[in-house]
Amino acid sequence: AIIVDVENIINALKDKVDLVTLARAREKFNSLSSEGKKFVSNISQLTALEATYKSALAVVKQIEAIDPSAKDFVSKTIAAKAAYDKLATDALKNTVTNYMIVENYLPIALIMKEIDAIRVNTAEFRKDYEAAEGTYNALTAGVTGNPENTPAPTDKVVVAKQRLVTEYGPKIEKFKI
C-alpha cells in the first residue's frame, strides 16, 4: 500500500465513519513497512476512531469472517447476531454497515441448527420435524445444489442455501415416515 492511499482512506473517515472502511484502513496501514508507517501523518485519527468504535468494529470483522461453506457457519452467524445485539447504542449498531449479511444468513443458520437438534426418540419429534420441514421448504424453494463442474455462485446467500439443500435436505428426507 502507498502511504498516500492510507492517509486518504483515513481522511475520508472524518466525514462519514464506515466501519468496513475503517477496518480496511487498518489493514492497509498494517501492510506498510515499519519505515512506511512512520510517514502516515494521520495515524492518530485512525487509532482514535478505532478506540471509539472498537466494539462495533469487532462485529464488522466477525461478520466478514462468516463463510457459508465452512463447518462453523452456524456458530459464527449466531455469534455475530449476539455480538451485534450486545452493542450498547443504536448509533453503534448503525455503523455496522454489513449487518444485512447476518440478517440474510440467520434463517439459514437457525434451520441448520434446528435440523441438527431433531431427535427421533423424543416425544416432540413429529412437531420438531414438521416445523423444520416447513421452514426448510420455504427457505429452499427454487434452490438446487450446485452441479458438479460449475463455478460456485458468488452470492454467498445462494451458497448457504445450496449447502442447506445438499447437506440438510437428505437429513430432512431421512426423517420422513
Side-chain angles (χ1 to χ4, degrees):
I2 301 173
I3 295 164
V4 175
D5 292 341
V6 175
E7 289 177 333
N8 288 340
I9 293 170
I10 295 169
N11 285 334
L13 291 167
K14 279 190 231 174
D15 300 324
K16 182 178 184 271
V17 176
D18 171 1
L19 296 184
V20 174
T21 305
L22 182 60
R24 190 174 319 114
R26 172 53 69 183
E27 287 171 19
K28 289 213 178 257
F29 176 79
N30 288 346
S31 72
L32 293 172
S33 68
S34 336
E35 222 21 65
K37 289 177 183 176
K38 293 176 186 174
F39 293 102
V40 176
S41 62
N42 55 358
I43 187 59
S44 60
Q45 288 175 304
L46 177 62
T47 311
L49 285 168
E50 287 173 326
T52 302
Y53 294 100
K54 184 179 181 178
S55 58
L57 188 56
V59 174
V60 166
K61 289 178 180 178
Q62 206 172 350
I63 293 169
E64 287 181 347
I66 299 171
D67 178 357
S69 60
K71 188 173 182 84
D72 61 1
F73 167 72
V74 172
S75 62
K76 280 191 171 182
T77 301
I78 292 170
K81 169 71 170 139
Y84 176 83
D85 289 344
K86 278 186 187 175
L87 290 174
T89 65
D90 286 342
L92 276 177
K93 287 179 179 179
N94 289 337
T95 62
V96 180
T97 56
N98 61 350
Y99 181 69
M100 187 55 70
I101 294 169
V102 172
E103 289 286 315
N104 290 329
Y105 284 162
L106 197 58
I108 300 164
L110 291 175
I111 192 59
M112 288 176 171
K113 182 178 178 182
E114 196 176 313
I115 292 169
D116 283 337
I118 295 173
R119 298 292 175 257
V120 179
N121 57 352
T122 65
E124 303 295 313
F125 166 72
R126 177 64 41 208
K127 181 176 71 78
D128 293 345
Y129 162 73
E130 288 172 356
E133 182 185 40
T135 303
Y136 170 86
N137 288 338
L139 285 172
T140 60
V143 177
T144 58
N146 194 32
E148 280 193 41
N149 301 323
T150 60
T154 54
D155 182 341
K156 290 186 174 189
V157 174
V158 172
V159 171
K161 286 185 177 186
Q162 286 178 334
R163 180 172 173 214
L164 184 59
V165 168
T166 57
E167 288 182 34
Y168 289 82
K171 291 179 182 184
I172 285 287
E173 286 298 315
K174 180 180 79 174
F175 291 132
K176 283 189 177 178
I177 296 176

